[in-house]
Amino acid sequence: MSAPANPPFSARSPAPLKPIALAPGVTIDTPVILAPMSGVTDLPFRRIARELGTGLVVSEMIASQAMVRENRATLMMAEVEGHGAPSSVQLAGCEPEVMAEAAKLVADRGAAIVDINFGCPVKKVAIGQMAGSALMRDEIKAARILEATVKAVSVPVTLKMRMGWDHNSLNAPTLARIAQECGIKLITVHGRTRQQLYTGTANWDFIASVKAAVSLPVIANGDIVTVENAAEALARSGADGVMIGRGCYGRPWFPRQVAHYLATGEIIPDPSLAEQYAIMLAHYRAMLAQYGVVGGVRMARKHLAWYSKGLPGSAEFRSAINTVDDPAQAEAMMERFYRPLIETPAERLAA
């Protein structure tokens, strides 16, 4: 069975999103969600995204075995701010008992939601560990993991998956029904197969078949990099919300723009360059506080590249700042790069 590419789409007015109640006291007021992204959605990034208006933030994918061993780096990845906050921690693994124990640990540490990963396509996870998207090939084992995790915790458990392993096994609707029977409260579908990895185009139309298969809220994911993408993904899929990944690179304010567009049909501009600079600087300092100087400086480099992308002279800025290990020197370079751009009239900057 193959899923055709999205046919031409006729623009229509966006539909406002409704809150999604997963459990008493756990409601996604605006279901525009920050996707879990390894090496990206750490606590500093999630904090900024939430402050800027993201409806729900999800941690990086965390290996359940490492969580159970209480590895120091893993505990840091699973850190959330406050019990009951709209934060989700995503777990990956292939052993029901270990997934259940890991879920207990992250719930005890304050996660309002536990998310299960059946979507990761990378070779190390899907083939080396037989976790992530590999579990879409074994529905019986997948069901055992879902059931064990749901039974282990009192917080709502959600699921993220793909359309299937490949275009000959598009079993997401079937697995969605299994998930609903196991007590899963919400399902996110990335509109690609595992074999596609991140190539090709996300098929939002296929997500409609998952939505039709269950009574659960369904979230559309994949290729949402503009507000119009979000509206089209919702219209094609009939989903209850959207999850945004790479569209947030260097734009932690993007989910707020999406939510505003879906609510009003109005496109609000990006923050001013002065505001972007302030956000970037706060993010940089938060990463230093989280990881220390050595780790924070190095981990922040990709974010600095994303924030500055497209600005005049950004290639030279990135090349230079990637060689700097001293935070004070790096901040001085940011100031020298952004200040002239901030003071340049908008029409000249655009030209």
Side-chain angles (χ1 to χ4, degrees), residues 62-70 74-75 78 89-93 95-109 111 114 148-149 152-153:
I62 294 171
S64 56
Q65 282 278 9
M67 189 69 213
V68 169
R69 291 196 302 269
E70 297 194 22
T74 302
L75 292 176
V89 173
Q90 187 184 77
L91 298 173
E95 301 170 272
E97 299 80 8
V98 177
M99 285 287 285
E101 184 61 27
K104 290 178 186 176
L105 287 170
V106 298
D108 288 345
R109 293 173 62 86
V114 174
T149 307
V153 294

Side-chain angles (χ1 to χ4, degrees), residues 17-22 26-32 53-56 86 240 259:
L17 296 173
K18 298 178 181 179
I20 297 175
L22 299 179
V26 183
T27 297
I28 309 171
D29 291 324
T30 304
V32 178
T54 302
L56 177 72
D240 303 279

Side-chain angles (χ1 to χ4, degrees), residues 34-56:
L34 176 66
M37 293 179 282
S38 294
V40 179
T41 55
D42 56 7
L43 183 61
F45 191 82
R46 298 198 308 273
R47 182 189 298 131
I48 288 174
R50 183 191 293 153
E51 290 173 352
L52 292 174
T54 302
L56 177 72

Side-chain angles (χ1 to χ4, degrees), residues 53-263:
T54 302
L56 177 72
V57 295
V58 187
S59 76
E60 303 170 78
M61 181 185 71
I62 294 171
S64 56
Q65 282 278 9
M67 189 69 213
V68 169
R69 291 196 302 269
E70 297 194 22
N71 175 280
R72 181 176 179 274
T74 302
L75 292 176
M76 183 179 291
M77 290 169 63
E79 187 178 354
V80 297
E81 292 184 320
H83 289 255
S87 294
S88 173
V89 173
Q90 187 184 77
L91 298 173
C94 59
E95 301 170 272
E97 299 80 8
V98 177
M99 285 287 285
E101 184 61 27
K104 290 178 186 176
L105 287 170
V106 298
D108 288 345
R109 293 173 62 86
I113 301 165
V114 174
D115 188 60
I116 296 176
N117 184 306
F118 282 2
C120 180
V122 300
K123 186 176 181 180
K124 178 182 176 181
V125 175
I127 296 176
Q129 301 172 11
M130 297 303 292
S133 56
L135 290 163
M136 297 193 73
R137 305 177 78 182
D138 188 341
E139 293 171 2
I140 294 175
K141 188 173 186 179
R144 293 206 303 268
I145 290 172
L146 296 170
E147 186 176 24
T149 307
V150 169
K151 287 183 177 179
V153 294
S154 59
V155 301
V157 180
T158 61
L159 171 67
K160 187 171 189 286
M161 61 180 173
R162 291 195 163 217
M163 299 192 301
W165 180 260
D166 56 29
H167 280 88
N168 294 317
S169 55
L170 299 176
N171 64 331
T174 299
L175 195 53
R177 286 190 289 268
I178 293 171
Q180 180 168 281
E181 292 171 2
C182 290
I184 294 296
K185 299 300 184 183
L186 175 147
I187 296 170
T188 300
V189 183
H190 184 132
R192 286 183 172 88
T193 66
R194 185 271 161 184
Q195 298 296 68
Q196 285 181 279
L197 299 176
Y198 295 99
T199 64
T201 303
N203 190 330
W204 301 321
D205 289 308
F206 179 85
I207 298 173
S209 65
V210 180
K211 177 64 180 171
V214 294
S215 59
L216 296 176
V218 172
I219 305 297
N221 175 229
D223 291 352
I224 298 172
V225 295
T226 68
V227 294
E228 293 88 354
N229 290 157
E232 182 176 348
L234 288 170
R236 287 187 178 279
S237 65
D240 303 279
V242 292
M243 177 177 281
I244 306 171
R246 61 189 173 91
C248 294
Y249 285 3
R251 299 194 296 167
W253 53 82
F254 179 54
R256 177 184 63 193
Q257 293 173 308
V258 169
H260 185 85
Y261 179 71
L262 296 175

Side-chain angles (χ1 to χ4, degrees), residues 272-295:
S272 68
L273 270 183
E275 292 169 322
Q276 291 182 37
Y277 172 57
I279 292 167
M280 181 187 72
L281 189 59
H283 188 181
Y284 184 76
R285 291 171 175 172
M287 294 193 78
L288 296 179
Q290 183 79 1
Y291 301 109
V293 170
V294 175

